[in-house]
């Protein structure tokens, strides 16, 4: 069977993108592949891609952005895959793995060290692109390691119904915090309040004065801000932070498609309020993954943590799904199903 | 003698200030005072002011700035004073004290708890407005507590010849760091390199491209930025920070007189580079003052730390001295001598 040649559909980035990416920037192409690791390619695995993760950081690779932490141009991302062939001792045919893969039906992964075998399959496999993957670990280390939470802290989360935000809010609630989230539609706000158990939530698009909105929900100020959006929201949050507040900077999605970045004006309040503002990337906390799984798997099984996914079927719909992230069209974690097994 | 009535010259803020303060915003007035604590006023001291400290934070009280941490309107500041009369058990006539006082010849200080008796008088008394006062303690806690320095770190300091910056640079050098400072004139740059022992220094006014200037002095990037100015400099620094860099935010003097604050655009680099940016105020570290004195007094006496002051004689010249801070006219710590004893 290894010699069988099949057409491999793939999503190719046409050119560097400026401003908001369009579906036409991403082309569906097909090339032939054999379903095995090529001869002489040791330590590699050949996988069938099952679930692909759409993540905001992927915007960075589409442009030549100074300091971007993913190389530009190769359309790759986190995914859940099934091993078809392996020349790596740690992986064998049939293994389910998670890690960086190509946006295509089949991928040859030459540096298989970046892959992890999936051990727990009594949860939806797609969860390994979300709650059990990079976004989940991001929420975990961002909240517990960067935010320095204390019981009773007031917590604000922007982009709160997204892949990371919905978990930060639930973790903070379980920890004993007062939690408010912002999102960009009524449906998302309902989700925050009724599904994820946030104390309050608001639609930032309906708030002409973000400062006033935050004052409404945090009359005594914000201890912790989990920053996913940047720009105007950050300026409004700074006005409402408490003394000794902490801002964990996870992302700034409002800025990724702007050719001219918004300036943040209220940074002097970092001094006045003695605020610690800290950027972080989940890669630095990879060692915490086993500890995180140990915590979160029982919570999932007991229904104490829920996870909402926005699932799109078919690789051909992947470009549209990815681009939808930047207008906030997704409700919950955006996943593309390439194949179910 | 306590019944003697004298004219007390004082500096009065005429009205709230917008934009750059002008000398005419501050009036010299005289009112009569008796040289003693008034009857029935327990726990107070009446002092003769010797040295007054001109500090950038004082701009805040001149305007109605949201979140400013000093009450507006009363022109007060740190000073060195001699006790003339006291109804407080901790102070007696003839004591030298440092703390918050009025910008006037004589002050009645009703809450004497904020004053500290000066124990070491074998150094210039004016030092208690600078290296041995608030700016010194600010440099100490900012560098050692907030910057988390490591030997060999690359350190950048803006407003580096100022009351705080000159000390941060010298502390960092003694700690084994590579230290570069920016300042606003050739004289100051010379001071940084030749008097304070910075490795390099540059005049930011002669650098049309701050990013390029920083790249010249930090080809491998900046570990620690001691932030005194904000605005464009911060944006340029963000481009040049190393991974896991630390930014201690002490002040943002470039912004204090602007009616429209400059926006800082490169904050997403906090994420990319996992930077911790932390605002601090010296008040939170007051308990470290004895430890600081223990370290710094021998260094001063051994000539291992130097301190440059810009001393102006006479209360009538205080407004001009204070206003000069905001155009960077002072060279070193700006002090006003009201009386020498």
């Amino acid at each position: 069977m290894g010699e069988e040649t099949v057409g491999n559909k793939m999503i190719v980035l046409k050119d560097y993108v400026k401003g908001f990416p369009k579906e036409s920037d991403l082309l569906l192409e097909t090339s032939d592949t054999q379903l095995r690791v090529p001869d002489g390619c040791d330590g590699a695995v050949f996988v069938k891609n099952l679930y692909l993760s759409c993540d905001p950081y992927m915007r960075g690779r589409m442009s030549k952005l100074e300091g971007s932490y993913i190389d530009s141009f190769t359309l790759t991302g986190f995914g859940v895959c099934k091993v078809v062939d392996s020349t790596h001792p740690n992986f064998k045919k049939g293994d389910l793995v998670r890690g960086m893969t190509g946006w295509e039906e089949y991928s040859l992964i030459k540096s298989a060290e970046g892959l992890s075998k999936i051990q727990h399959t009594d949860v939806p496999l797609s969860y390994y692109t979300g709650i059990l993957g990079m976004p989940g670990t991001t929420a975990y280390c961002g909240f517990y390691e960067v935010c320095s939470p204390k019981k009773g802290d007031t917590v604000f989360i922007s982009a709160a119904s997204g892949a990371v935000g919905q978990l930060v809010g639930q973790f903070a609630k379980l920890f004993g915090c007062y939690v408010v989230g912002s999102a960009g539609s009524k449906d998302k706000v309902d989700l925050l309040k009724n599904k994820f158990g946030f104390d309050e939530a608001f639609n930032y698009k309906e708030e002409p004065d973000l400062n006033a909105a935050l004052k409404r929900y945090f009359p005594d100020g914000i201890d912790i801000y989990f920053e996913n959006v940047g720009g105007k929201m950050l300026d409004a949050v700074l006005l409402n932070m408490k003394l000794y507040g902490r801002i964990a900077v996870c992302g700034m999605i409002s800025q990724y498609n702007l050719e001219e970045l918004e300036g943040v004006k209220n940074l002097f309040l970092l001094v006045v309020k003695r605020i610690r503002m800290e950027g972080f990337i989940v890669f630095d906390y990879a060692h915490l993954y086993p500890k995180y799984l140990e915590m979160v798997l029982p919570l999932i099984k007991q229904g104490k943590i829920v996870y909402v996914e926005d699932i799109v079927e078919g690789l051909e719909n992947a470009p549209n799904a990815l681009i939808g992230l930047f207008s906030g069209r997704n409700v919950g974690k955006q996943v593309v199903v390439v194949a179910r097994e």
Side-chain angles (χ1 to χ4, degrees), chain A residues 160-179:
Chain A
S161 70
V164 175
Q166 58 175 294
L167 292 173
V168 175
Q170 292 180 82
F171 294 157
K173 280 304 298 175
L174 288 172
F175 198 81
C177 299
Y178 167 81
V179 179

mmCIF file with all atom_site columns, all heavy atoms in Angstrom, chain A residues 160-179:
data_model
loop_
_atom_site.group_PDB
_atom_site.id
_atom_site.type_symbol
_atom_site.label_atom_id
_atom_site.label_alt_id
_atom_site.label_comp_id
_atom_site.label_asym_id
_atom_site.label_entity_id
_atom_site.label_seq_id
_atom_site.pdbx_PDB_ins_code
_atom_site.Cartn_x
_atom_site.Cartn_y
_atom_site.Cartn_z
_atom_site.occupancy
_atom_site.B_iso_or_equiv
_atom_site.pdbx_formal_charge
_atom_site.auth_seq_id
_atom_site.auth_comp_id
_atom_site.auth_asym_id
_atom_site.auth_atom_id
_atom_site.pdbx_PDB_model_num
ATOM 1   N N   . ALA A 1 160 ? -13.211 36.587 25.006 1.00 0.00 ? 160 ALA A N   1
ATOM 2   C CA  . ALA A 1 160 ? -13.387 35.612 26.085 1.00 0.00 ? 160 ALA A CA  1
ATOM 3   C C   . ALA A 1 160 ? -14.065 34.317 25.669 1.00 0.00 ? 160 ALA A C   1
ATOM 4   O O   . ALA A 1 160 ? -14.012 33.335 26.401 1.00 0.00 ? 160 ALA A O   1
ATOM 5   C CB  . ALA A 1 160 ? -14.162 36.262 27.229 1.00 0.00 ? 160 ALA A CB  1
ATOM 6   N N   . SER A 1 161 ? -14.709 34.300 24.500 1.00 0.00 ? 161 SER A N   1
ATOM 7   C CA  . SER A 1 161 ? -15.340 33.040 24.095 1.00 0.00 ? 161 SER A CA  1
ATOM 8   C C   . SER A 1 161 ? -14.436 32.248 23.166 1.00 0.00 ? 161 SER A C   1
ATOM 9   O O   . SER A 1 161 ? -14.791 31.160 22.708 1.00 0.00 ? 161 SER A O   1
ATOM 10  C CB  . SER A 1 161 ? -16.686 33.316 23.416 1.00 0.00 ? 161 SER A CB  1
ATOM 11  O OG  . SER A 1 161 ? -16.458 33.930 22.147 1.00 0.00 ? 161 SER A OG  1
ATOM 12  N N   . GLY A 1 162 ? -13.252 32.759 22.919 1.00 0.00 ? 162 GLY A N   1
ATOM 13  C CA  . GLY A 1 162 ? -12.336 32.085 22.003 1.00 0.00 ? 162 GLY A CA  1
ATOM 14  C C   . GLY A 1 162 ? -11.706 30.846 22.604 1.00 0.00 ? 162 GLY A C   1
ATOM 15  O O   . GLY A 1 162 ? -12.009 30.442 23.729 1.00 0.00 ? 162 GLY A O   1
ATOM 16  N N   . ALA A 1 163 ? -10.805 30.261 21.848 1.00 0.00 ? 163 ALA A N   1
ATOM 17  C CA  . ALA A 1 163 ? -10.194 28.983 22.205 1.00 0.00 ? 163 ALA A CA  1
ATOM 18  C C   . ALA A 1 163 ? -9.519  29.035 23.568 1.00 0.00 ? 163 ALA A C   1
ATOM 19  O O   . ALA A 1 163 ? -9.559  28.066 24.327 1.00 0.00 ? 163 ALA A O   1
ATOM 20  C CB  . ALA A 1 163 ? -9.166  28.613 21.136 1.00 0.00 ? 163 ALA A CB  1
ATOM 21  N N   . VAL A 1 164 ? -8.899  30.157 23.868 1.00 0.00 ? 164 VAL A N   1
ATOM 22  C CA  . VAL A 1 164 ? -8.170  30.314 25.127 1.00 0.00 ? 164 VAL A CA  1
ATOM 23  C C   . VAL A 1 164 ? -9.067  30.964 26.188 1.00 0.00 ? 164 VAL A C   1
ATOM 24  O O   . VAL A 1 164 ? -9.161  30.496 27.319 1.00 0.00 ? 164 VAL A O   1
ATOM 25  C CB  . VAL A 1 164 ? -6.890  31.162 24.912 1.00 0.00 ? 164 VAL A CB  1
ATOM 26  C CG1 . VAL A 1 164 ? -6.194  31.439 26.238 1.00 0.00 ? 164 VAL A CG1 1
ATOM 27  C CG2 . VAL A 1 164 ? -5.943  30.458 23.937 1.00 0.00 ? 164 VAL A CG2 1
ATOM 28  N N   . GLY A 1 165 ? -9.731  32.048 25.784 1.00 0.00 ? 165 GLY A N   1
ATOM 29  C CA  . GLY A 1 165 ? -10.498 32.849 26.740 1.00 0.00 ? 165 GLY A CA  1
ATOM 30  C C   . GLY A 1 165 ? -11.551 32.070 27.499 1.00 0.00 ? 165 GLY A C   1
ATOM 31  O O   . GLY A 1 165 ? -11.701 32.229 28.718 1.00 0.00 ? 165 GLY A O   1
ATOM 32  N N   . GLN A 1 166 ? -12.283 31.206 26.805 1.00 0.00 ? 166 GLN A N   1
ATOM 33  C CA  . GLN A 1 166 ? -13.348 30.454 27.482 1.00 0.00 ? 166 GLN A CA  1
ATOM 34  C C   . GLN A 1 166 ? -12.782 29.583 28.601 1.00 0.00 ? 166 GLN A C   1
ATOM 35  O O   . GLN A 1 166 ? -13.439 29.362 29.627 1.00 0.00 ? 166 GLN A O   1
ATOM 36  C CB  . GLN A 1 166 ? -14.148 29.602 26.478 1.00 0.00 ? 166 GLN A CB  1
ATOM 37  C CG  . GLN A 1 166 ? -13.350 28.603 25.684 1.00 0.00 ? 166 GLN A CG  1
ATOM 38  C CD  . GLN A 1 166 ? -14.231 27.691 24.796 1.00 0.00 ? 166 GLN A CD  1
ATOM 39  O OE1 . GLN A 1 166 ? -15.023 26.891 25.285 1.00 0.00 ? 166 GLN A OE1 1
ATOM 40  N NE2 . GLN A 1 166 ? -14.091 27.834 23.486 1.00 0.00 ? 166 GLN A NE2 1
ATOM 41  N N   . LEU A 1 167 ? -11.536 29.134 28.439 1.00 0.00 ? 167 LEU A N   1
ATOM 42  C CA  . LEU A 1 167 ? -10.918 28.308 29.481 1.00 0.00 ? 167 LEU A CA  1
ATOM 43  C C   . LEU A 1 167 ? -10.370 29.149 30.620 1.00 0.00 ? 167 LEU A C   1
ATOM 44  O O   . LEU A 1 167 ? -10.510 28.786 31.787 1.00 0.00 ? 167 LEU A O   1
ATOM 45  C CB  . LEU A 1 167 ? -9.797  27.459 28.871 1.00 0.00 ? 167 LEU A CB  1
ATOM 46  C CG  . LEU A 1 167 ? -10.291 26.378 27.923 1.00 0.00 ? 167 LEU A CG  1
ATOM 47  C CD1 . LEU A 1 167 ? -9.105  25.710 27.238 1.00 0.00 ? 167 LEU A CD1 1
ATOM 48  C CD2 . LEU A 1 167 ? -11.120 25.340 28.684 1.00 0.00 ? 167 LEU A CD2 1
ATOM 49  N N   . VAL A 1 168 ? -9.746  30.269 30.278 1.00 0.00 ? 168 VAL A N   1
ATOM 50  C CA  . VAL A 1 168 ? -9.231  31.147 31.338 1.00 0.00 ? 168 VAL A CA  1
ATOM 51  C C   . VAL A 1 168 ? -10.375 31.525 32.274 1.00 0.00 ? 168 VAL A C   1
ATOM 52  O O   . VAL A 1 168 ? -10.239 31.483 33.505 1.00 0.00 ? 168 VAL A O   1
ATOM 53  C CB  . VAL A 1 168 ? -8.579  32.416 30.746 1.00 0.00 ? 168 VAL A CB  1
ATOM 54  C CG1 . VAL A 1 168 ? -8.164  33.369 31.859 1.00 0.00 ? 168 VAL A CG1 1
ATOM 55  C CG2 . VAL A 1 168 ? -7.379  32.049 29.884 1.00 0.00 ? 168 VAL A CG2 1
ATOM 56  N N   . GLY A 1 169 ? -11.511 31.868 31.681 1.00 0.00 ? 169 GLY A N   1
ATOM 57  C CA  . GLY A 1 169 ? -12.660 32.255 32.499 1.00 0.00 ? 169 GLY A CA  1
ATOM 58  C C   . GLY A 1 169 ? -13.129 31.126 33.398 1.00 0.00 ? 169 GLY A C   1
ATOM 59  O O   . GLY A 1 169 ? -13.423 31.337 34.581 1.00 0.00 ? 169 GLY A O   1
ATOM 60  N N   . GLN A 1 170 ? -13.177 29.920 32.855 1.00 0.00 ? 170 GLN A N   1
ATOM 61  C CA  . GLN A 1 170 ? -13.621 28.789 33.670 1.00 0.00 ? 170 GLN A CA  1
ATOM 62  C C   . GLN A 1 170 ? -12.591 28.452 34.758 1.00 0.00 ? 170 GLN A C   1
ATOM 63  O O   . GLN A 1 170 ? -12.953 28.131 35.895 1.00 0.00 ? 170 GLN A O   1
ATOM 64  C CB  . GLN A 1 170 ? -13.914 27.588 32.772 1.00 0.00 ? 170 GLN A CB  1
ATOM 65  C CG  . GLN A 1 170 ? -15.129 27.819 31.880 1.00 0.00 ? 170 GLN A CG  1
ATOM 66  C CD  . GLN A 1 170 ? -15.421 26.608 30.993 1.00 0.00 ? 170 GLN A CD  1
ATOM 67  O OE1 . GLN A 1 170 ? -16.045 25.649 31.423 1.00 0.00 ? 170 GLN A OE1 1
ATOM 68  N NE2 . GLN A 1 170 ? -14.944 26.665 29.746 1.00 0.00 ? 170 GLN A NE2 1
ATOM 69  N N   . PHE A 1 171 ? -11.326 28.516 34.414 1.00 0.00 ? 171 PHE A N   1
ATOM 70  C CA  . PHE A 1 171 ? -10.289 28.275 35.435 1.00 0.00 ? 171 PHE A CA  1
ATOM 71  C C   . PHE A 1 171 ? -10.404 29.308 36.554 1.00 0.00 ? 171 PHE A C   1
ATOM 72  O O   . PHE A 1 171 ? -10.289 28.988 37.735 1.00 0.00 ? 171 PHE A O   1
ATOM 73  C CB  . PHE A 1 171 ? -8.878  28.351 34.829 1.00 0.00 ? 171 PHE A CB  1
ATOM 74  C CG  . PHE A 1 171 ? -8.555  27.265 33.834 1.00 0.00 ? 171 PHE A CG  1
ATOM 75  C CD1 . PHE A 1 171 ? -7.556  27.444 32.874 1.00 0.00 ? 171 PHE A CD1 1
ATOM 76  C CD2 . PHE A 1 171 ? -9.241  26.046 33.847 1.00 0.00 ? 171 PHE A CD2 1
ATOM 77  C CE1 . PHE A 1 171 ? -7.247  26.455 31.952 1.00 0.00 ? 171 PHE A CE1 1
ATOM 78  C CE2 . PHE A 1 171 ? -8.937  25.051 32.920 1.00 0.00 ? 171 PHE A CE2 1
ATOM 79  C CZ  . PHE A 1 171 ? -7.945  25.255 31.974 1.00 0.00 ? 171 PHE A CZ  1
ATOM 80  N N   . ALA A 1 172 ? -10.621 30.564 36.137 1.00 0.00 ? 172 ALA A N   1
ATOM 81  C CA  . ALA A 1 172 ? -10.684 31.638 37.138 1.00 0.00 ? 172 ALA A CA  1
ATOM 82  C C   . ALA A 1 172 ? -11.905 31.462 38.035 1.00 0.00 ? 172 ALA A C   1
ATOM 83  O O   . ALA A 1 172 ? -11.835 31.699 39.246 1.00 0.00 ? 172 ALA A O   1
ATOM 84  C CB  . ALA A 1 172 ? -10.703 32.999 36.448 1.00 0.00 ? 172 ALA A CB  1
ATOM 85  N N   . LYS A 1 173 ? -13.028 31.032 37.458 1.00 0.00 ? 173 LYS A N   1
ATOM 86  C CA  . LYS A 1 173 ? -14.216 30.785 38.272 1.00 0.00 ? 173 LYS A CA  1
ATOM 87  C C   . LYS A 1 173 ? -13.955 29.650 39.270 1.00 0.00 ? 173 LYS A C   1
ATOM 88  O O   . LYS A 1 173 ? -14.253 29.765 40.448 1.00 0.00 ? 173 LYS A O   1
ATOM 89  C CB  . LYS A 1 173 ? -15.425 30.425 37.386 1.00 0.00 ? 173 LYS A CB  1
ATOM 90  C CG  . LYS A 1 173 ? -16.136 31.588 36.735 1.00 0.00 ? 173 LYS A CG  1
ATOM 91  C CD  . LYS A 1 173 ? -16.617 32.647 37.716 1.00 0.00 ? 173 LYS A CD  1
ATOM 92  C CE  . LYS A 1 173 ? -17.645 32.097 38.727 1.00 0.00 ? 173 LYS A CE  1
ATOM 93  N NZ  . LYS A 1 173 ? -17.978 33.172 39.733 1.00 0.00 ? 173 LYS A NZ  1
ATOM 94  N N   . LEU A 1 174 ? -13.373 28.564 38.785 1.00 0.00 ? 174 LEU A N   1
ATOM 95  C CA  . LEU A 1 174 ? -13.073 27.439 39.680 1.00 0.00 ? 174 LEU A CA  1
ATOM 96  C C   . LEU A 1 174 ? -12.110 27.863 40.792 1.00 0.00 ? 174 LEU A C   1
ATOM 97  O O   . LEU A 1 174 ? -12.127 27.327 41.888 1.00 0.00 ? 174 LEU A O   1
ATOM 98  C CB  . LEU A 1 174 ? -12.455 26.271 38.893 1.00 0.00 ? 174 LEU A CB  1
ATOM 99  C CG  . LEU A 1 174 ? -13.394 25.489 37.981 1.00 0.00 ? 174 LEU A CG  1
ATOM 100 C CD1 . LEU A 1 174 ? -12.619 24.491 37.130 1.00 0.00 ? 174 LEU A CD1 1
ATOM 101 C CD2 . LEU A 1 174 ? -14.470 24.750 38.795 1.00 0.00 ? 174 LEU A CD2 1
ATOM 102 N N   . PHE A 1 175 ? -11.277 28.846 40.493 1.00 0.00 ? 175 PHE A N   1
ATOM 103 C CA  . PHE A 1 175 ? -10.278 29.321 41.455 1.00 0.00 ? 175 PHE A CA  1
ATOM 104 C C   . PHE A 1 175 ? -10.883 30.257 42.499 1.00 0.00 ? 175 PHE A C   1
ATOM 105 O O   . PHE A 1 175 ? -10.260 30.567 43.502 1.00 0.00 ? 175 PHE A O   1
ATOM 106 C CB  . PHE A 1 175 ? -9.175  30.066 40.672 1.00 0.00 ? 175 PHE A CB  1
ATOM 107 C CG  . PHE A 1 175 ? -7.889  30.235 41.418 1.00 0.00 ? 175 PHE A CG  1
ATOM 108 C CD1 . PHE A 1 175 ? -6.957  29.200 41.492 1.00 0.00 ? 175 PHE A CD1 1
ATOM 109 C CD2 . PHE A 1 175 ? -7.587  31.424 42.062 1.00 0.00 ? 175 PHE A CD2 1
ATOM 110 C CE1 . PHE A 1 175 ? -5.766  29.356 42.189 1.00 0.00 ? 175 PHE A CE1 1
ATOM 111 C CE2 . PHE A 1 175 ? -6.390  31.586 42.762 1.00 0.00 ? 175 PHE A CE2 1
ATOM 112 C CZ  . PHE A 1 175 ? -5.485  30.546 42.825 1.00 0.00 ? 175 PHE A CZ  1
ATOM 113 N N   . GLY A 1 176 ? -12.120 30.712 42.218 1.00 0.00 ? 176 GLY A N   1
ATOM 114 C CA  . GLY A 1 176 ? -12.775 31.591 43.184 1.00 0.00 ? 176 GLY A CA  1
ATOM 115 C C   . GLY A 1 176 ? -12.678 33.067 42.836 1.00 0.00 ? 176 GLY A C   1
ATOM 116 O O   . GLY A 1 176 ? -12.745 33.922 43.721 1.00 0.00 ? 176 GLY A O   1
ATOM 117 N N   . CYS A 1 177 ? -12.522 33.375 41.570 1.00 0.00 ? 177 CYS A N   1
ATOM 118 C CA  . CYS A 1 177 ? -12.439 34.770 41.143 1.00 0.00 ? 177 CYS A CA  1
ATOM 119 C C   . CYS A 1 177 ? -13.800 35.252 40.626 1.00 0.00 ? 177 CYS A C   1
ATOM 120 O O   . CYS A 1 177 ? -14.663 34.460 40.271 1.00 0.00 ? 177 CYS A O   1
ATOM 121 C CB  . CYS A 1 177 ? -11.397 34.933 40.029 1.00 0.00 ? 177 CYS A CB  1
ATOM 122 S SG  . CYS A 1 177 ? -9.726  34.476 40.519 1.00 0.00 ? 177 CYS A SG  1
ATOM 123 N N   . TYR A 1 178 ? -13.938 36.563 40.565 1.00 0.00 ? 178 TYR A N   1
ATOM 124 C CA  . TYR A 1 178 ? -15.070 37.211 39.876 1.00 0.00 ? 178 TYR A CA  1
ATOM 125 C C   . TYR A 1 178 ? -14.610 37.424 38.442 1.00 0.00 ? 178 TYR A C   1
ATOM 126 O O   . TYR A 1 178 ? -13.546 38.020 38.219 1.00 0.00 ? 178 TYR A O   1
ATOM 127 C CB  . TYR A 1 178 ? -15.377 38.529 40.569 1.00 0.00 ? 178 TYR A CB  1
ATOM 128 C CG  . TYR A 1 178 ? -16.309 39.460 39.809 1.00 0.00 ? 178 TYR A CG  1
ATOM 129 C CD1 . TYR A 1 178 ? -17.696 39.286 39.838 1.00 0.00 ? 178 TYR A CD1 1
ATOM 130 C CD2 . TYR A 1 178 ? -15.778 40.526 39.075 1.00 0.00 ? 178 TYR A CD2 1
ATOM 131 C CE1 . TYR A 1 178 ? -18.534 40.155 39.153 1.00 0.00 ? 178 TYR A CE1 1
ATOM 132 C CE2 . TYR A 1 178 ? -16.622 41.395 38.382 1.00 0.00 ? 178 TYR A CE2 1
ATOM 133 C CZ  . TYR A 1 178 ? -17.998 41.200 38.430 1.00 0.00 ? 178 TYR A CZ  1
ATOM 134 O OH  . TYR A 1 178 ? -18.825 42.058 37.747 1.00 0.00 ? 178 TYR A OH  1
ATOM 135 N N   . VAL A 1 179 ? -15.409 36.943 37.473 1.00 0.00 ? 179 VAL A N   1
ATOM 136 C CA  . VAL A 1 179 ? -14.913 36.884 36.098 1.00 0.00 ? 179 VAL A CA  1
ATOM 137 C C   . VAL A 1 179 ? -15.876 37.561 35.125 1.00 0.00 ? 179 VAL A C   1
ATOM 138 O O   . VAL A 1 179 ? -17.066 37.248 35.101 1.00 0.00 ? 179 VAL A O   1
ATOM 139 C CB  . VAL A 1 179 ? -14.692 35.418 35.664 1.00 0.00 ? 179 VAL A CB  1
ATOM 140 C CG1 . VAL A 1 179 ? -14.189 35.350 34.227 1.00 0.00 ? 179 VAL A CG1 1
ATOM 141 C CG2 . VAL A 1 179 ? -13.714 34.718 36.596 1.00 0.00 ? 179 VAL A CG2 1
#
